[in-house]
Amino acid sequence: MNERVRGALRSPLTFSVLAGVVVGALFLVGTGADPVAAYTAVLTGSLGPDGIGATLTTATSVLGMALALAVPLRAGLINLGGDGQLVLGGITAAVTGLYVPLPGPLAVALALLAGMAAGAGYAVLAALCETRLGVPLLVSSLLLSYPAVSLASYLARYPLKEPGSSLPQTRALPDGVALASFGGSTVTVGLVLVVLAAAAYWFTDRRTALGYEIRMTGLNSRFSAYAGVERRGLTLKLMSVSGAVAGLVGAVGVLSFPYRFVDGSLTGPGYTWTGLTAALLAAAAPLGTVVASFFFAVLQVGGLAMERTTEVPRELTQVLQAVVIVFLAARLRLPRRRSGRRKEVV
Amino acid sequence: MFFDADLLTSALRALTPILLAALGGALCERAGVFNIGLEGMMLLGCFTSVATCWFTGSPWLGVLAAALASAAYSLILAVGAVTLRGDAVVLGIAMNLLAVGLTSFLLRTVFGVQGTFDDPALAGLPLVGAFTPLAWLAWAAVAVAALLLSRHVWGLRLRGVGEAPEAAATLGVNPAAYRYGAVLLSGVLCGLAGAQLALGNVTLFSQNMTAGRGWIAVVAVMLGRALPVGVLLAALLFGLAEAAGFRLQGLGLPQQATDAAPYVVTLGALFLTTARRRRTRSAPGVVS
């Protein structure tokens, strides 16, 4: 075993994930369930042939929101307004899709762009609260999220409500205004878009001066300010990208099944918080964020399978996610052995 | 009449949970621990109070259990942020998420229901005058906290620990002990806040029933500059917004508009105070 592998095993990350799994097992035992059977159900239910489609669909939203939150997090900014940016993107895409008389593919492209613009605009509003008015981003983005969710809910329940339906939802988008899906599955081109966004983030982070500035700001904001990074401009830039990605996730959600804006369907599954958890777990590193998002999508979908086969509530997976982050935030790590082993390597 | 005694009474009812949680947040702030886990601690208090009250039949035991459970929960923040020097913001966020998951999980496993647990046998807190005893306690706590922080040696040391931990340590004050105390007290107060919300304002538990009140409390700490009386005024503002929202809903305004009102009002107040503060003083405020 080389030093790198050993280092990875000893890292706080590995410890946190393991601790999460162990705490989850304790909960399972506490409720009288068999942990091995439950975890097996999580894995087979999410990665097996019946579950992989759902996992990839969930991963689309989780990865999207994780990216949206990772981009500012890389510079040490926490955007807690993901829900607001997400639903504004969704409702804007729905309105565009419903009322713009364009052929299908053009309407889809326009709806995606409109969703991104709406999310970006709203996120910039939160950023302006910090840079112009001195209200911390953490608080301004979160507080702004509630009115946005309420507004979208109002629109879906009153002016845009599908006539004759008892559900709080808009009319279905016209035929052809939808993202293409793979085979008969619910996985759409949205997954490709989100993965492309992740690739763009990776490239920016690793290969561009901007990516370097962002990372430096995250590591030491005073030093980077001294070195000439313009903090206000960077905040606005990062938040607009963050909001645009969140808006994209909302638009993708509307342009996929059930092809309309349903009140609560975008915020209900908690993609924003799962995404934030994934971004935190990976310390906003691009590849890590992708891996962590997929891990949490597996947990979320597998949780449903676990609930079906073992009757353990699916909320257990939510507990697991949070436990992993609690351990990570406390920077716990496996104790280093004090034996002479390390000396041999050195 | 739109502004009448009833409106004030319901505003005072709405503000109680926020006030209790925000006082806890203010103590932590003064001790130099940024506590944004108030929401999660409160939610855990809600569930514990309802569960204990249902099993024992006593709302008082529910209140006690909520205070103890939230205090125990707050140890996560104390150990993580004070002893292990972890990131308090990330810990707080994780604690909020954990509380949502944990209470939903327990709601399913203990009561076998999803969403809301509501039982006619569940006893709410009695009223003393127009308010629950916890509401009276909350106002008393404002006075106690104000005196403690301005007059008592414990409060002065707590502030010293928050403002200059090295200097405090040099004088023989153990910063970690004071920070643990502040965090644990915030846990107790958040537990009471949760009990008030679940057994006082209503008599039920529903998933994620704190619905951002813990975050409003965090904002109230900022608005009130971590001063007990300031926090009281900030919480009053929120209570008025919530009560006025209910009133307007009765007058035909859609529920979504009134749901959003407290957050918009809070944000507006935050703009006004930070803008004014920046004009009058160039030094950063109490809250970093």
mmCIF file of all heavy atoms in Angstrom, chain A residues 134-162:
data_model
loop_
_atom_site.group_PDB
_atom_site.id
_atom_site.type_symbol
_atom_site.label_atom_id
_atom_site.label_comp_id
_atom_site.label_asym_id
_atom_site.label_seq_id
_atom_site.Cartn_x
_atom_site.Cartn_y
_atom_site.Cartn_z
ATOM 1 N N GLY A 134 -24.073 45.458 2.847
ATOM 2 C CA GLY A 134 -23.408 44.928 4.028
ATOM 3 C C GLY A 134 -24.170 43.845 4.774
ATOM 4 O O GLY A 134 -23.866 43.556 5.920
ATOM 5 N N VAL A 135 -25.160 43.238 4.134
ATOM 6 C CA VAL A 135 -25.854 42.106 4.751
ATOM 7 C C VAL A 135 -25.125 40.829 4.323
ATOM 8 O O VAL A 135 -24.971 40.599 3.134
ATOM 9 C CB VAL A 135 -27.328 42.039 4.306
ATOM 10 C CG1 VAL A 135 -28.006 40.839 4.898
ATOM 11 C CG2 VAL A 135 -28.055 43.314 4.682
ATOM 12 N N PRO A 136 -24.649 40.027 5.274
ATOM 13 C CA PRO A 136 -23.868 38.847 4.892
ATOM 14 C C PRO A 136 -24.611 37.967 3.881
ATOM 15 O O PRO A 136 -25.816 37.765 3.997
ATOM 16 C CB PRO A 136 -23.676 38.101 6.209
ATOM 17 C CG PRO A 136 -23.911 39.106 7.266
ATOM 18 C CD PRO A 136 -24.828 40.136 6.719
ATOM 19 N N LEU A 137 -23.851 37.464 2.921
ATOM 20 C CA LEU A 137 -24.432 36.656 1.840
ATOM 21 C C LEU A 137 -25.207 35.455 2.379
ATOM 22 O O LEU A 137 -26.296 35.133 1.912
ATOM 23 C CB LEU A 137 -23.310 36.179 0.918
ATOM 24 C CG LEU A 137 -23.744 35.418 -0.318
ATOM 25 C CD1 LEU A 137 -24.484 36.328 -1.265
ATOM 26 C CD2 LEU A 137 -22.555 34.801 -1.019
ATOM 27 N N LEU A 138 -24.611 34.808 3.389
ATOM 28 C CA LEU A 138 -25.234 33.638 4.010
ATOM 29 C C LEU A 138 -26.692 33.937 4.367
ATOM 30 O O LEU A 138 -27.596 33.152 4.095
ATOM 31 C CB LEU A 138 -24.446 33.322 5.285
ATOM 32 C CG LEU A 138 -24.675 32.011 5.998
ATOM 33 C CD1 LEU A 138 -24.034 30.905 5.206
ATOM 34 C CD2 LEU A 138 -24.094 32.057 7.392
ATOM 35 N N VAL A 139 -26.911 35.124 4.959
ATOM 36 C CA VAL A 139 -28.236 35.494 5.446
ATOM 37 C C VAL A 139 -29.097 36.064 4.321
ATOM 38 O O VAL A 139 -30.265 35.692 4.166
ATOM 39 C CB VAL A 139 -28.076 36.515 6.592
ATOM 40 C CG1 VAL A 139 -29.391 37.179 6.909
ATOM 41 C CG2 VAL A 139 -27.514 35.834 7.808
ATOM 42 N N SER A 140 -28.521 36.954 3.500
ATOM 43 C CA SER A 140 -29.332 37.584 2.456
ATOM 44 C C SER A 140 -29.822 36.540 1.452
ATOM 45 O O SER A 140 -30.982 36.558 1.043
ATOM 46 C CB SER A 140 -28.542 38.691 1.753
ATOM 47 O OG SER A 140 -27.430 38.161 1.080
ATOM 48 N N SER A 141 -28.939 35.603 1.064
ATOM 49 C CA SER A 141 -29.364 34.618 0.072
ATOM 50 C C SER A 141 -30.474 33.736 0.649
ATOM 51 O O SER A 141 -31.459 33.446 -0.025
ATOM 52 C CB SER A 141 -28.177 33.772 -0.383
ATOM 53 O OG SER A 141 -27.607 33.095 0.703
ATOM 54 N N LEU A 142 -30.339 33.360 1.922
ATOM 55 C CA LEU A 142 -31.350 32.492 2.535
ATOM 56 C C LEU A 142 -32.686 33.218 2.683
ATOM 57 O O LEU A 142 -33.744 32.687 2.340
ATOM 58 C CB LEU A 142 -30.873 32.006 3.898
ATOM 59 C CG LEU A 142 -31.865 31.044 4.535
ATOM 60 C CD1 LEU A 142 -31.574 29.624 4.111
ATOM 61 C CD2 LEU A 142 -31.896 31.153 6.023
ATOM 62 N N LEU A 143 -32.642 34.447 3.191
ATOM 63 C CA LEU A 143 -33.893 35.180 3.413
ATOM 64 C C LEU A 143 -34.594 35.481 2.095
ATOM 65 O O LEU A 143 -35.818 35.446 2.001
ATOM 66 C CB LEU A 143 -33.621 36.480 4.164
ATOM 67 C CG LEU A 143 -33.294 36.342 5.646
ATOM 68 C CD1 LEU A 143 -33.058 37.695 6.265
ATOM 69 C CD2 LEU A 143 -34.407 35.619 6.388
ATOM 70 N N LEU A 144 -33.811 35.769 1.044
ATOM 71 C CA LEU A 144 -34.416 36.054 -0.261
ATOM 72 C C LEU A 144 -35.074 34.816 -0.848
ATOM 73 O O LEU A 144 -35.970 34.912 -1.678
ATOM 74 C CB LEU A 144 -33.357 36.581 -1.230
ATOM 75 C CG LEU A 144 -33.029 38.062 -1.100
ATOM 76 C CD1 LEU A 144 -31.808 38.403 -1.948
ATOM 77 C CD2 LEU A 144 -34.216 38.909 -1.531
ATOM 78 N N SER A 145 -34.624 33.657 -0.407
ATOM 79 C CA SER A 145 -35.144 32.418 -0.973
ATOM 80 C C SER A 145 -36.640 32.236 -0.680
ATOM 81 O O SER A 145 -37.399 31.796 -1.541
ATOM 82 C CB SER A 145 -34.344 31.256 -0.391
ATOM 83 O OG SER A 145 -34.637 30.086 -1.069
ATOM 84 N N TYR A 146 -37.064 32.622 0.536
ATOM 85 C CA TYR A 146 -38.459 32.383 0.928
ATOM 86 C C TYR A 146 -39.473 33.128 0.049
ATOM 87 O O TYR A 146 -40.427 32.518 -0.442
ATOM 88 C CB TYR A 146 -38.658 32.710 2.407
ATOM 89 C CG TYR A 146 -37.976 31.734 3.333
ATOM 90 C CD1 TYR A 146 -36.718 31.996 3.839
ATOM 91 C CD2 TYR A 146 -38.590 30.538 3.681
ATOM 92 C CE1 TYR A 146 -36.081 31.095 4.684
ATOM 93 C CE2 TYR A 146 -37.963 29.638 4.518
ATOM 94 C CZ TYR A 146 -36.706 29.920 5.028
ATOM 95 O OH TYR A 146 -36.084 29.019 5.854
ATOM 96 N N PRO A 147 -39.301 34.461 -0.173
ATOM 97 C CA PRO A 147 -40.263 35.129 -1.053
ATOM 98 C C PRO A 147 -40.289 34.540 -2.467
ATOM 99 O O PRO A 147 -41.355 34.482 -3.086
ATOM 100 C CB PRO A 147 -39.812 36.596 -1.073
ATOM 101 C CG PRO A 147 -38.615 36.699 -0.248
ATOM 102 C CD PRO A 147 -38.395 35.433 0.477
ATOM 103 N N ALA A 148 -39.131 34.095 -2.971
ATOM 104 C CA ALA A 148 -39.106 33.519 -4.323
ATOM 105 C C ALA A 148 -39.929 32.241 -4.369
ATOM 106 O O ALA A 148 -40.716 32.027 -5.299
ATOM 107 C CB ALA A 148 -37.663 33.241 -4.743
ATOM 108 N N VAL A 149 -39.763 31.401 -3.351
ATOM 109 C CA VAL A 149 -40.533 30.153 -3.307
ATOM 110 C C VAL A 149 -42.027 30.469 -3.188
ATOM 111 O O VAL A 149 -42.866 29.856 -3.859
ATOM 112 C CB VAL A 149 -40.055 29.261 -2.133
ATOM 113 C CG1 VAL A 149 -40.965 28.074 -1.945
ATOM 114 C CG2 VAL A 149 -38.620 28.805 -2.366
ATOM 115 N N SER A 150 -42.354 31.468 -2.368
ATOM 116 C CA SER A 150 -43.755 31.859 -2.216
ATOM 117 C C SER A 150 -44.326 32.404 -3.520
ATOM 118 O O SER A 150 -45.457 32.103 -3.902
ATOM 119 C CB SER A 150 -43.896 32.927 -1.132
ATOM 120 O OG SER A 150 -43.559 32.393 0.117
ATOM 121 N N LEU A 151 -43.531 33.216 -4.219
ATOM 122 C CA LEU A 151 -43.999 33.794 -5.484
ATOM 123 C C LEU A 151 -44.301 32.694 -6.504
ATOM 124 O O LEU A 151 -45.369 32.674 -7.131
ATOM 125 C CB LEU A 151 -42.935 34.755 -6.047
ATOM 126 C CG LEU A 151 -43.228 35.302 -7.440
ATOM 127 C CD1 LEU A 151 -44.413 36.261 -7.394
ATOM 128 C CD2 LEU A 151 -42.007 35.996 -8.044
ATOM 129 N N ALA A 152 -43.354 31.748 -6.642
ATOM 130 C CA ALA A 152 -43.555 30.666 -7.606
ATOM 131 C C ALA A 152 -44.778 29.845 -7.214
ATOM 132 O O ALA A 152 -45.578 29.448 -8.077
ATOM 133 C CB ALA A 152 -42.306 29.786 -7.663
ATOM 134 N N SER A 153 -44.938 29.617 -5.918
ATOM 135 C CA SER A 153 -46.080 28.853 -5.441
ATOM 136 C C SER A 153 -47.383 29.589 -5.784
ATOM 137 O O SER A 153 -48.359 28.991 -6.247
ATOM 138 C CB SER A 153 -45.944 28.663 -3.929
ATOM 139 O OG SER A 153 -47.138 28.188 -3.384
ATOM 140 N N TYR A 154 -47.367 30.903 -5.575
ATOM 141 C CA TYR A 154 -48.555 31.713 -5.898
ATOM 142 C C TYR A 154 -48.876 31.620 -7.389
ATOM 143 O O TYR A 154 -50.024 31.389 -7.775
ATOM 144 C CB TYR A 154 -48.305 33.169 -5.501
ATOM 145 C CG TYR A 154 -49.392 34.103 -5.929
ATOM 146 C CD1 TYR A 154 -50.610 34.133 -5.261
ATOM 147 C CD2 TYR A 154 -49.218 34.938 -7.035
ATOM 148 C CE1 TYR A 154 -51.623 34.981 -5.668
ATOM 149 C CE2 TYR A 154 -50.227 35.791 -7.451
ATOM 150 C CZ TYR A 154 -51.433 35.810 -6.759
ATOM 151 O OH TYR A 154 -52.431 36.633 -7.169
ATOM 152 N N LEU A 155 -47.850 31.783 -8.235
ATOM 153 C CA LEU A 155 -48.071 31.744 -9.684
ATOM 154 C C LEU A 155 -48.648 30.398 -10.102
ATOM 155 O O LEU A 155 -49.553 30.327 -10.930
ATOM 156 C CB LEU A 155 -46.757 32.011 -10.420
ATOM 157 C CG LEU A 155 -46.219 33.436 -10.307
ATOM 158 C CD1 LEU A 155 -44.845 33.549 -10.956
ATOM 159 C CD2 LEU A 155 -47.186 34.428 -10.942
ATOM 160 N N ALA A 156 -48.119 29.315 -9.522
ATOM 161 C CA ALA A 156 -48.578 27.982 -9.924
ATOM 162 C C ALA A 156 -49.979 27.687 -9.400
ATOM 163 O O ALA A 156 -50.694 26.852 -9.944
ATOM 164 C CB ALA A 156 -47.597 26.924 -9.423
ATOM 165 N N ARG A 157 -50.370 28.382 -8.332
ATOM 166 C CA ARG A 157 -51.677 28.100 -7.743
ATOM 167 C C ARG A 157 -52.777 29.007 -8.275
ATOM 168 O O ARG A 157 -53.946 28.650 -8.241
ATOM 169 C CB ARG A 157 -51.610 28.249 -6.220
ATOM 170 C CG ARG A 157 -51.026 27.038 -5.538
ATOM 171 C CD ARG A 157 -50.685 27.318 -4.102
ATOM 172 N NE ARG A 157 -49.845 26.256 -3.568
ATOM 173 C CZ ARG A 157 -50.333 25.154 -3.012
ATOM 174 N NH1 ARG A 157 -51.633 24.982 -2.890
ATOM 175 N NH2 ARG A 157 -49.516 24.220 -2.578
ATOM 176 N N TYR A 158 -52.400 30.222 -8.713
ATOM 177 C CA TYR A 158 -53.433 31.140 -9.182
ATOM 178 C C TYR A 158 -53.337 31.523 -10.659
ATOM 179 O O TYR A 158 -54.019 30.900 -11.475
ATOM 180 C CB TYR A 158 -53.533 32.356 -8.251
ATOM 181 C CG TYR A 158 -53.887 31.944 -6.831
ATOM 182 C CD1 TYR A 158 -52.922 31.825 -5.849
ATOM 183 C CD2 TYR A 158 -55.202 31.608 -6.498
ATOM 184 C CE1 TYR A 158 -53.253 31.413 -4.562
ATOM 185 C CE2 TYR A 158 -55.538 31.198 -5.213
ATOM 186 C CZ TYR A 158 -54.558 31.107 -4.245
ATOM 187 O OH TYR A 158 -54.892 30.693 -2.992
ATOM 188 N N PRO A 159 -52.471 32.479 -11.039
ATOM 189 C CA PRO A 159 -52.572 32.943 -12.426
ATOM 190 C C PRO A 159 -52.235 31.879 -13.471
ATOM 191 O O PRO A 159 -52.823 31.856 -14.543
ATOM 192 C CB PRO A 159 -51.564 34.101 -12.504
ATOM 193 C CG PRO A 159 -51.035 34.322 -11.157
ATOM 194 C CD PRO A 159 -51.414 33.190 -10.302
ATOM 195 N N LEU A 160 -51.267 30.997 -13.164
ATOM 196 C CA LEU A 160 -50.812 30.053 -14.174
ATOM 197 C C LEU A 160 -51.406 28.665 -13.977
ATOM 198 O O LEU A 160 -51.060 27.724 -14.669
ATOM 199 C CB LEU A 160 -49.285 29.938 -14.132
ATOM 200 C CG LEU A 160 -48.490 31.206 -14.442
ATOM 201 C CD1 LEU A 160 -47.011 30.977 -14.192
ATOM 202 C CD2 LEU A 160 -48.725 31.642 -15.874
ATOM 203 N N LYS A 161 -52.332 28.518 -13.051
ATOM 204 C CA LYS A 161 -52.842 27.202 -12.692
ATOM 205 C C LYS A 161 -53.555 26.537 -13.864
ATOM 206 O O LYS A 161 -54.244 27.190 -14.638
ATOM 207 C CB LYS A 161 -53.811 27.346 -11.522
ATOM 208 C CG LYS A 161 -54.263 26.026 -10.941
ATOM 209 C CD LYS A 161 -55.103 26.289 -9.703
ATOM 210 C CE LYS A 161 -55.542 25.016 -9.027
ATOM 211 N NZ LYS A 161 -56.271 24.107 -9.861
ATOM 212 N N GLU A 162 -53.348 25.252 -13.979
ATOM 213 C CA GLU A 162 -54.027 24.496 -15.029
ATOM 214 C C GLU A 162 -55.527 24.518 -14.754
ATOM 215 O O GLU A 162 -55.975 24.099 -13.674
ATOM 216 C CB GLU A 162 -53.536 23.061 -15.026
ATOM 217 C CG GLU A 162 -54.178 22.212 -16.103
ATOM 218 C CD GLU A 162 -53.652 20.793 -16.108
ATOM 219 O OE1 GLU A 162 -53.472 20.218 -15.016
ATOM 220 O OE2 GLU A 162 -53.415 20.270 -17.196
#
